[in-house]
Amino acid sequence: MATSRFCPACLSSLSTSSTLLRLSRTTTTTTSIPSAIQHQIRGAASSQNALKYRRKDTPASQKRKKARSTFLQPNLKNAIQFSLVDAMRYLRASEVAHPPQQSKYELHIRLRTPKNGAVVRNRLRLPHPVKTDLRICVIAPPDSAAGKAAKAAGAVIVGEDTVFDAVKEGRVEFDRCLCHTDSLPALAKANLGRILGPKGLMPSVKTGTVVRDIGSSVREMAGASEYRERFGVVRMAIGQLGFGPEELSRNIWAFIEAVKRDISGISDQTAKDVHEVVLSSTNGPGLSLDGTFRSEGSLEAKGLGVD
Amino acid sequence: MVSLPQRMRKLQTKLLAIRLGSGAVILPKDVKRIHLRFAKRIEGGHMGPRKFMQYELIRLKYHNPAVSMTVDRTALAEDAAVMSVHFTQPAEDGTDAQLTDRVQTIDMKLRNNSEILEQLVQLTKAQPVEPTAEEIEELKDLEEQRVKGARDSARSAEVRARVKREKELLEQARGDMAAQVA
């Protein structure tokens, strides 16, 4: 129907003849044209007027839906869930063709949360650290007590002006950066935010990287990993591929407990809740965990740690 | 995001592919380790080993999680492509004997993945894993869903193409009209 009515060939012939028709209409009698065609012509020709009086509000069917304020929460009854040992067995199998040092287990905690509001963000030292070769930089005078404590705790780079100069030359040879409270003015003066900011390395009070007790923070950070909520999910590398199920389960519980603590910490601003816990690996599928350690049909746990 | 049942179907397909297929064999208890060494690139007969690693080794690892399986791809194209199978004699008191008793190798060069698997099965006398009745049922269901899905998507693609064409014609007609007026 629509195609035949708005067929371009017909339309062009119609519109080219429309001026003629109009002429004929003005010169001769209007009644000669059947009323239906006349109506059509008028509608087509007087579109200036039609434009003026066109409906401005779009019909309800085309109106944009109101955006939802929370993230989708699928019903987990329909999901296939796994015990830890079963999930690990699948992940180990799918990681077999990849170098074992590169692959990690990852945990994704999906939250029931509104889209706006405060987000979960913190650092955590897992019972079994995933990454041990973290290079930490401490901004403090190297010969002060704080500087010495930092060195003793395992910081790789300690200094003030030397660090600033190195960073300005583009040599950022560290993965984490801490700053002593007394050195903060010097750091602010050095104007490194342009370089360190995008890398997420700029120390600030808000992220807890400007501290007084440097030694213990360095020690805490050496085995710690950061996590934050993005799009309603908190993700973190949770273990090396060589971990056994017991080690991994300790890490998982530590992480979940930490996230729950953070959630209760911001509960007065934003109400959140853990919805789903998914274990995956660098190259493997994501498998939803059901919270149990092993299921009926699963294997002995001891074999899962071998490469 | 696609619906949960759709995602679960995809996941189930993936997991079944890890469980079943060529390479789903259970190695005897005396096999302790399997090590593959071949080149990074396929030239010089290194394609078969790579295919073996991509397909068979995954299922082998799933059914034998306690067997250590390592891959070394630092060999050069002209080097041999070797699979070494390490056997350990189980000790009398039931504890794992740590010393590897014998190592047997399979030449993988210029062989395809099924030939390599055949050789491995022969060497170790591994038992193949047969799909259970449930798994066969599941595979059948998934296949049915795939066929149905393909049919439905073809049908809806047709409808969408028609709607799009009509819309385009309408748009074109409106454009012509505006040009006429101006």
Side-chain angles (χ1 to χ4, degrees), chain A:
Chain A
M1 184 66 190
T3 39
S4 61
R5 194 170 156 203
F6 291 100
C7 166
C10 310
L11 270 173
S12 56
S13 64
L14 191 81
S15 47
T16 43
S17 62
S18 69
T19 41
L20 258 177
L21 275 171
R22 220 176 338 165
L23 268 176
S24 68
R25 197 159 38 134
T26 45
T27 49
T28 58
T29 49
T30 359
T31 45
S32 64
I33 307 161
S35 63
I37 299 176
Q38 191 188 359
H39 179 80
Q40 214 173 5
I41 294 162
R42 182 176 291 180
S46 63
S47 61
Q48 207 95 76
N49 233 5
L51 274 175
K52 199 168 152 193
Y53 292 111
R54 208 173 45 187
R55 268 176 72 176
K56 291 209 173 61
D57 53 331
T58 46
S61 59
Q62 282 175 22
K63 250 181 204 164
R64 266 185 69 194
K65 265 194 223 161
K66 207 180 159 201
R68 72 174 81 242
S69 62
T70 58
F71 292 104
L72 276 178
Q73 270 125 38
N75 188 355
L76 293 181
K77 263 185 211 151
N78 302 326
I80 316 168
Q81 293 195 307
F82 299 84
S83 71
L84 180 63
V85 171
D86 290 354
M88 278 178 80
R89 191 176 169 196
Y90 279 119
L91 293 177
R92 284 313 303 261
S94 47
E95 289 292 340
V96 72
H98 299 278
Q101 290 80 26
Q102 284 176 16
S103 302
K104 304 269 190 298
Y105 286 113
E106 294 161 8
L107 201 73
H108 314 249
I109 300 181
R110 193 169 182 159
L111 306 174
R112 276 189 285 269
T113 166
K115 278 183 178 176
N116 52 8
V119 294
V120 171
R121 182 178 183 182
N122 210 341
R123 266 200 313 269
L124 166 71
R125 188 190 170 87
L126 290 168
H128 306 276
V130 180
K131 207 159 67 168
T132 45
D133 54 345
L134 210 61
R135 293 173 65 85
I136 296 171
C137 165
V138 171
I139 296 168
D143 45 357
S144 68
K148 277 174 192 149
K151 265 267 192 270
V156 180
I157 306 163
V158 178
E160 271 186 332
D161 293 335
T162 50
V163 177
F164 299 153
D165 292 341
V167 169
K168 273 178 192 156
E169 283 165 31
R171 287 186 286 120
V172 183
E173 293 162 337
F174 45 88
D175 311 311
R176 294 284 183 276
C177 190
L178 284 175
C179 182
H180 191 258
T181 320
D182 296 342
S183 302
L184 193 60
L187 177 72
K189 211 179 281 172
N191 213 1
L192 296 178
R194 294 274 295 277
I195 306 163
L196 291 179
K199 295 181 202 287
L201 292 172
M202 188 70 188
S204 82
V205 182
K206 206 170 144 196
T207 52
T209 44
V210 175
V211 283
R212 186 152 286 283
D213 186 5
I214 283 280
S216 68
S217 333
V218 168
R219 226 168 293 127
E220 198 174 283
M221 198 178 241
S225 23
E226 284 184 21
Y227 58 85
R228 72 173 298 173
E229 177 192 338
R230 286 194 174 87
F231 294 102
V233 186
V234 192
R235 299 181 181 85
M236 193 169 75
I238 196 80
Q240 293 159 20
L241 215 56
F243 280 2
E246 286 89 6
E247 290 170 293
L248 199 61
S249 108
R250 273 196 287 278
N251 270 1
I252 289 173
W253 281 117
F255 183 34
I256 293 175
E257 291 305 318
V259 168
K260 279 187 178 164
R261 256 200 313 279
D262 294 337
I263 286 174
S264 63
I266 55 170
S267 61
D268 51 337
Q269 305 164 42
T270 319
K272 287 173 198 279
D273 196 8
V274 173
H275 180 61
E276 187 186 9
V277 177
V278 176
L279 184 71
S280 84
S281 64
T282 308
N283 305 290
L287 304 172
S288 184
L289 296 179
D290 60 6
T292 56
F293 186 67
R294 3 181 344 188
S295 66
E296 240 170 77
S298 46
L299 297 174
E300 291 273 324
K302 77 174 178 192
L304 282 166
V306 297
D307 285 324

Side-chain angles (χ1 to χ4, degrees), chain B residues 139-151:
Chain B
L139 279 171
K140 216 177 82 193
D141 281 356
L142 287 171
E143 188 52 44
E144 264 169 30
Q145 286 286 354
R146 250 194 301 282
V147 171
K148 187 170 172 284
R151 203 173 54 218

Side-chain angles (χ1 to χ4, degrees), chain B residues 5-64:
Chain B
Q6 217 169 336
R7 267 162 62 203
M8 286 303 139
R9 267 208 298 282
K10 202 167 179 182
L11 178 68
Q12 194 67 282
T13 315
K14 247 188 209 170
L15 296 183
L16 276 167
I18 293 180
R19 283 212 299 269
L20 302 170
S22 83
V25 295
I26 294 178
L27 298 167
K29 286 228 158 38
D30 57 346
V31 177
K32 267 283 146 303
R33 178 173 176 223
I34 291 175
H35 182 70
L36 312 180
R37 181 176 157 79
F38 58 96
K40 199 91 185 160
R41 293 165 65 96
I42 63 170
E43 285 95 347
H46 290 270
M47 187 184 79
R50 198 182 70 167
K51 293 284 171 193
F52 180 83
M53 178 190 81
Q54 280 177 338
Y55 300 111
E56 276 80 2
L57 196 65
I58 288 175
R59 291 176 200 126
L60 210 59
K61 179 71 182 174
Y62 179 79
H63 289 287
N64 308 280

